[in-house]
């Protein structure tokens, strides 16, 4: 099977959840959590301490994604906000803003037995036999037809799908050809908070989204603008110039960077969010009449 999406009898297809990859280590009724970089995340997701109620076994290691669902769709900025800030909110005695759910797609150890040498289909069978779904814990569903699933993903504006070889063993890391990701490009409305020049030309725009009343920098984009749009921006943006940065997380002013009052809104298409909340492979697709203060980091539905 190559990298072009096609239905294949040896593969199953799953939704790609736009969340944080989390390994759950369950033992003696306690749960410890680790992200894909092997950094502990136990304190960030206290809801996952309830996992032993829904697993038939004394010890287990599960692989899955922690997600925040907003209007039925996963929000990567929302889960990253929890991933970074929960310890601060807990220390302040505040309730977390978003409820986390755990999407389980693999079972690696069970009752002291290492399952990573078993085929994926067998690991899934054991997981289905030992797991009880609940409101916060879900078993990721397998589909036989990836082409139909991807069409539905595109229609719903979801992140993408993963194709997995049913006979594959569990391989940590990315250097294998048993799992393939097929991503649906996303889009959002972003606020222009600055620009970079190359001589008299606009090179790229600095983009942000509001979190409360604060503008968060999410990256820069220049692709997608035609010559006329660049000329118009070069004439109009300097009228909005300001001395200080409008972004809460971008204060230094590099050479050829100009900050502007955040009044202009654009449509941006992008591949995905990076872990540090930057748009990957952004392309500007148009201008928007959306009020800038309504472009929120944790509410990215169209």
């Amino acid at each position: 099977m190559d990298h072009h999406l096609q239905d294949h009898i040896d593969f199953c297809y799953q939704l790609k959840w736009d969340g944080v990859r989390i390994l759950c280590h369950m033992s003696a009724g306690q749960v410890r959590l680790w992200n894909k970089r092997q950094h502990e995340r136990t304190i960030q997701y206290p809801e996952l301490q309830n996992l032993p109620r829904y697993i038939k076994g004394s010890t287990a290691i599960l692989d899955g994604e922690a997600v925040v669902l907003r209007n039925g769709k996963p929000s990567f900025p929302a889960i990253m906000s929890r991933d970074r800030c929960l310890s601060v909110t807990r220390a302040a005695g505040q309730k977390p803003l978003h409820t986390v759910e755990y999407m389980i797609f693999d079972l690696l150890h069970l009752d002291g037995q290492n399952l990573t040498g078993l085929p994926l289909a067998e690991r899934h069978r054991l997981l289905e036999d030992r797991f009880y779904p609940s409101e916060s814990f879900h078993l990721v569903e397998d589909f036989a037809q990836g082409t139909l699933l991807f069409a539905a993903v595109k229609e719903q504006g979801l992140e993408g799908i993963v194709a997995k070889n049913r006979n594959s063993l569990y391989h940590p890391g990315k250097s294998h050809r048993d799992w393939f990701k097929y991503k649906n490009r996303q889009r959002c409305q972003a606020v222009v908070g600055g620009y970079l020049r190359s001589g008299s030309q606009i090179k790229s725009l600095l983009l942000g989204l509001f979190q409360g009343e604060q503008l968060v920098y999410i990256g820069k984009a220049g692709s997608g603008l035609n010559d006329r749009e660049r000329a118009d921006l070069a004439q109009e943006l300097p009228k909005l110039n300001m001395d200080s940065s409008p972004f809460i997380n971008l204060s230094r002013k590099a050479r050829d960077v100009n900050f502007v009052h955040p009044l202009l809104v654009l449509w941006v298409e992008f591949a995905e969010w990076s872990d540090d909340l930057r748009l990957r492979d952004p392309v500007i697709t148009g201008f928007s009449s959306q009020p800038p203060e309504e472009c929120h980091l944790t509410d990215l539905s169209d």
Side-chain angles (χ1 to χ4, degrees):
M1 179 176 176
D2 60 23
H3 287 285
H4 298 290
L5 178 59
Q6 54 185 310
D7 297 330
H8 195 287
I9 193 171
D10 289 338
F11 280 75
C12 62
Y13 304 88
Q14 300 176 344
L15 283 176
K16 186 178 186 300
W17 294 94
D18 201 3
V20 175
R21 183 84 170 268
I22 292 290
L23 285 173
C24 280
H25 293 239
M26 185 189 84
S27 178
Q30 299 295 313
V31 173
R32 296 185 70 182
L33 310 175
W34 307 86
N35 66 15
K36 63 183 180 182
R37 292 185 173 86
Q38 299 184 357
H39 296 152
E40 187 164 4
R41 283 294 182 266
T42 303
I43 192 174
Q44 276 79 0
Y45 306 107
E47 299 99 327
L48 272 59
Q49 290 298 322
N50 292 325
L51 180 61
R53 301 180 185 178
Y54 307 104
I55 293 290
K56 191 192 306 182
S58 58
T59 65
I61 299 178
L62 299 102
D63 198 352
E65 294 218 15
V67 303
V68 168
L69 298 180
R70 297 177 63 85
N71 300 319
K73 297 181 180 181
S75 169
F76 188 73
I79 190 66
M80 288 306 297
S81 177
R82 165 68 88 88
D83 192 79
R84 294 173 175 180
C85 300
L86 180 61
S87 59
V88 176
T89 59
R90 285 187 55 166
Q94 299 174 3
K95 182 179 179 181
L97 293 177
H98 310 292
T99 300
V100 170
E101 300 180 39
Y102 189 49
M103 307 298 182
I104 302 170
F105 52 72
D106 218 332
L107 179 63
L108 313 186
H109 288 255
L110 181 66
D111 289 337
Q113 182 182 2
N114 185 347
L115 307 179
T116 58
L118 296 179
L120 175 66
E122 180 65 13
R123 300 198 306 273
H124 280 190
R125 188 192 67 76
L126 289 170
L127 185 55
E128 290 174 350
D129 183 56
R130 295 297 189 100
F131 173 69
Y132 305 101
S134 70
E135 290 185 359
S136 298
F137 300 95
H138 311 273
L139 186 61
V140 175
E141 186 176 358
D142 290 343
F143 293 87
Q145 295 181 295
T147 50
L148 291 180
L149 180 61
F150 192 71
V153 161
K154 292 181 68 175
E155 183 178 347
Q156 294 296 319
L158 299 174
E159 187 193 10
I161 70 172
V162 182
K164 299 181 178 181
N165 191 322
R166 299 179 189 273
N167 301 310
S168 63
L169 311 183
Y170 184 85
H171 302 288
K174 301 179 180 179
S175 57
H176 60 83
R177 292 180 57 82
D178 289 322
W179 291 12
F180 297 92
K181 296 178 182 179
Y182 300 93
K183 296 179 181 179
N184 177 35
R185 286 183 65 83
Q186 305 172 58
R187 71 177 197 148
C188 70
Q189 297 176 91
V191 182
V192 177
Y195 58 95
L196 284 83
R197 301 189 75 120
S198 177
S200 62
Q201 301 296 315
I202 297 293
K203 183 179 179 181
S204 59
L205 304 177
L206 308 183
L207 306 176
L209 289 169
F210 280 97
Q211 192 167 46
E213 297 182 354
Q214 298 175 324
L215 187 64
V216 177
Y217 176 68
I218 60 171
K220 60 185 178 182
S223 298
L225 294 172
N226 59 38
D227 292 341
R228 176 59 184 273
E229 290 168 336
R230 290 181 187 276
D232 289 344
L233 288 169
Q235 181 177 353
E236 297 300 325
L237 281 179
K239 300 175 183 178
L240 302 177
N241 279 4
M242 57 189 299
D243 293 331
S244 60
S245 172
F247 302 104
I248 185 176
N249 57 337
L250 186 66
S251 58
R252 292 184 300 174
K253 186 172 181 179
R255 190 179 68 174
D256 299 326
V257 171
N258 292 273
F259 293 123
V260 298
H261 293 277
L263 300 175
L264 178 65
V265 177
L266 301 171
W267 278 106
V268 183
E269 184 182 275
F270 60 102
E272 62 181 349
W273 289 97
S274 69
D275 288 349
D276 57 352
L277 288 183
R278 299 288 192 269
L279 302 181
R280 285 184 174 155
D281 189 24
V283 176
I284 298 167
T285 59
F287 295 84
S288 172
S289 59
Q290 177 92 338
E293 63 273 11
E294 294 183 10
C295 298
H296 300 293
L297 184 61
T298 55
D299 185 10
L300 298 175
S301 61
D302 293 352

